[in-house]
Amino acid sequence: MSSASNRTFSDLGLSKWLVDALTSMAIRKPSNIQSACIPKILAGHDCIGGARTGSGKTIAFAAPILEKLSRDPYGICALILSPTRELSLQIAEQISALGTSMGIKHAIVVGGMDIISQALALQNRPHIVIATPGRLADLIRSSPEIVEGFRRLHYLVLDEADRLLTPGFADDLDECTSILPPADKRQTLLFTATITPAVTQLKDRPDVSNRLPVFMHAGPSASSIAIPATLSQKYLFIPSHVREAYLYTILTISENEKKSAIVFVNRTRTAEVLRQTLRLMEVRVTALHSEIPQRERTDSLGRFRAEAARVLIATDVASRGLDIPTVELVINFDIPADPDDYIHRVGRTARARRQGESISIVTENDVERIQAIEERVGKKMEIYDAVTETKVIAESLQQVSNARREALMNMEKEKFGEKRNARKKRALLEAGGGGHRKSRR
Ligand code: AMP
């Protein structure tokens, strides 16, 4: 956690109760983003905070909101939107740890949990609502009585704003902001690991800009684009059909066998194949992706946090903003198409000045993607040479390939992915096209 000055949280304008609550979480010295943003938010500015993951951005917005709320607690004062359920739950944890002593109530509104109890929770007028845009938009449509509660809102926070401002979220986000007071009657706080053009443009948009000028904290330096300095980025160039065996070997060689690791993949199906294969090879593994029901997703993350599982297989649903402090190794089993996703993935390690390593498994199909990533990051990756072809062939190729075959057979039996295929088919039929085309995938 980098901190530039000797200022304390009290110097930034926080009351003793809040400083005490922070101290009880072992948070004693403000990080850069906290020093920069807390006084500005308290003074009423809108704010765009560029901060790498693990920089303390949640507290940079939560602390001033709680400070103001404690002085004048009323109905729904703040709405915090984030792109994923897990991130929302994590923000809620920090808010609850900080605000409970002052009786500050929050409600969580995310998909995968009971929508009726969420509507009821909103009618109980919590002070802070932490939501994903999709579920809040659903609630606005299905329970218009909740809308009234948001009329006096003062803070709108968009966490991982770069992601929230992509077209996939646009309709839901519009629905959510349509029930809030206009931008000049509230404060809008945007936090993002990568300052994309969509984020910067917001600075000049009348529906975002407050009466006071927008305060922009660009983060450490635009060229280092949120890659921690303590991260060593490696790659391994291999044919695609032996990736599983290499992955198993990387995870189990003596220098890595005790490390907690996240393995990122691009598809839910790959995540499931790897989860089952590695489990058969007796690696303590769990998974996080959108085909897993919400309760199990939370359990998976809990098991990984508690170190009951050493390896987490995840799609990009897990790559954003999740606070999993013990990860020492990130492996990109698939290379993401979007360089920003790479930045978010590798940002899971080397947090808070710890050392960390990322290993990207590069195949003949990924060369362009790697070049785009290196350009975006401004740095070349180094070759990972701890695992050799001889070692993989001698020690794991055959066993891993048998385990993978068994995993695929299990998935066939469990009918993995059928629900999603059925959903896709329904959507196609509803859209009036292509309903009868047969697909084997
Ligand atoms: P975030 O960037 O909000 O995901 O925070 C990452 C982690 O850093 C969380 O576990 C926080 O509790 C912790 N943290 C936040 N601010 C500080 C600070 N000033 N000093 C030490 N740890 C912090």
Side-chain angles (χ1 to χ4, degrees):
M1 188 97 1
S2 51
S3 50
S5 73
N6 289 325
R7 290 203 294 174
T8 63
F9 282 110
S10 313
D11 299 337
L12 302 182
L14 300 184
S15 298
K16 183 171 179 313
W17 72 268
L18 196 43
V19 177
D20 290 346
L22 286 165
T23 310
S24 71
M25 292 164 72
I27 297 176
R28 297 188 179 84
K29 212 168 161 326
S31 66
N32 281 337
I33 184 126
Q34 291 160 358
S35 300
C37 295
I38 292 175
K40 293 287 179 182
I41 298 173
L42 286 173
H45 289 264
D46 284 352
C47 169
I48 299 181
R52 60 169 72 118
T53 47
S55 60
K57 63 194 161 77
T58 313
I59 285 167
F61 62 76
I65 291 176
L66 290 167
E67 174 69 38
K68 282 281 163 97
L69 247 175
S70 69
R71 294 179 202 168
D72 175 22
Y74 70 88
I76 301 177
C77 164
L79 169 63
I80 302 170
L81 292 173
S82 91
T84 67
R85 301 163 183 182
E86 284 76 15
L87 186 50
S88 294
L89 296 177
Q90 200 170 285
I91 294 169
E93 258 171 41
Q94 294 205 39
I95 299 249
S96 135
L98 286 175
T100 310
S101 69
M102 289 303 275
I104 289 168
K105 289 187 296 182
H106 69 272
I108 301 173
V109 174
V110 298
M113 293 176 171
D114 180 35
I115 192 164
I116 297 173
S117 43
Q118 291 179 352
L120 289 174
L122 285 183
Q123 286 180 53
N124 277 337
R125 297 289 164 94
H127 302 108
I128 301 179
V129 174
I130 302 146
T132 48
R135 174 51 68 92
L136 183 57
D138 279 351
L139 264 175
I140 296 168
R141 289 181 210 116
S142 65
S143 316
E145 64 279 8
I146 64 154
V147 169
E148 188 54 36
F150 288 86
R151 295 260 184 256
R152 291 181 59 218
L153 179 125
H154 187 75
Y155 297 98
L156 169 65
V157 180
L158 302 187
D159 195 17
E160 304 287 343
D162 52 339
R163 176 80 150 238
L164 287 174
L165 293 168
T166 55
F169 282 104
D171 291 346
D172 289 336
L173 202 56
D174 283 350
E175 186 89 49
C176 296
T177 49
S178 73
I179 65 166
L180 307 180
D184 62 350
K185 300 239 160 37
R186 62 164 199 253
Q187 272 177 266
T188 306
L189 315 175
L190 299 162
F191 287 83
T192 170
T194 42
I195 300 203
T196 58
V199 174
T200 345
Q201 276 159 19
L202 280 181
K203 211 173 157 186
D204 306 316
R205 262 177 48 179
D207 55 338
V208 170
S209 232
N210 195 338
R211 281 159 303 183
L212 292 167
V214 177
F215 169 68
M216 182 126 174
H217 174 76
S221 102
S223 63
S224 69
I225 326 170
I227 292 274
T230 48
L231 170 68
S232 105
Q233 301 174 74
K234 305 265 173 73
Y235 78 95
L236 192 66
F237 191 69
I238 53 167
S240 51
H241 64 277
V242 290
R243 280 184 305 166
E244 287 85 0
Y246 271 84
L247 173 68
Y248 171 76
T249 313
I250 294 171
L251 287 170
T252 51
I253 54 173
S254 58
E255 66 184 69
N256 292 338
E257 69 183 350
K258 296 221 160 57
K259 288 185 184 167
S260 61
I262 304 187
V263 178
F264 280 107
V265 297
N266 290 354
R267 290 158 184 246
T268 55
R269 189 177 168 77
T270 318
E272 188 58 18
V273 175
L274 289 185
R275 186 184 72 85
Q276 298 212 14
T277 306
L278 291 173
R279 184 161 287 175
L280 289 165
M281 297 293 293
E282 300 192 345
V283 177
R284 284 185 294 120
V285 64
T286 188
L288 198 61
H289 58 73
S290 58
E291 282 293 286
I292 299 178
Q294 181 60 38
R295 165 120 43 106
E296 279 174 43
R297 276 159 71 173
T298 312
D299 285 353
S300 282
L301 202 52
R303 286 185 54 217
F304 187 62
R305 279 216 185 96
E307 294 175 24
R310 177 173 76 87
V311 176
L312 175 72
I313 315 280
T315 55
D316 286 297
V317 106
S319 74
R320 299 239 163 194
L322 295 184
D323 180 26
I324 308 165
T326 51
V327 171
E328 292 148 277
L329 180 61
V330 167
I331 300 177
N332 285 310
F333 183 81
D334 293 316
I335 305 301
D338 181 347
D340 283 351
D341 280 332
Y342 172 88
I343 292 172
H344 284 282
R345 289 177 177 192
V346 300
R348 302 298 97 215
T349 182
R351 289 159 77 91
R353 290 211 203 122
R354 293 189 188 93
Q355 292 298 322
E357 187 170 49
S358 73
I359 303 170
S360 295
I361 299 185
V362 181
T363 71
E364 62 282 6
N365 309 317
D366 303 315
V367 177
E368 277 176 23
R369 289 185 176 184
I370 287 293
Q371 285 166 346
I373 289 169
E374 288 182 334
E375 195 168 313
R376 178 92 175 84
V377 171
K379 201 171 168 196
K380 291 255 176 234
M381 296 178 205
E382 293 160 31
I383 290 188
Y384 183 72
D385 54 14
V387 168
T388 60
E389 191 183 354
T390 333
K391 188 171 173 64
V392 172
I393 292 175
E395 292 175 18
S396 64
L397 194 56
Q398 194 56 49
Q399 295 95 306
V400 174
S401 136
N402 293 345
R404 181 171 183 273
R405 198 166 327 113
E406 196 177 331
L408 288 170
M409 282 183 331
N410 286 342
M411 285 169 62
E412 186 80 32
K413 259 191 249 147
E414 292 160 6
K415 301 191 174 19
F416 180 83
E418 277 204 355
K419 259 198 213 151
R420 191 171 52 168
N421 286 344
R423 269 203 307 276
K424 269 194 192 158
K425 206 162 167 190
R426 229 183 2 255
L428 266 178
L429 284 173
E430 277 166 17
H436 15 254
R437 210 176 333 137
K438 278 214 175 102
S439 162
R440 304 271 321 145
R441 308 191 73 208

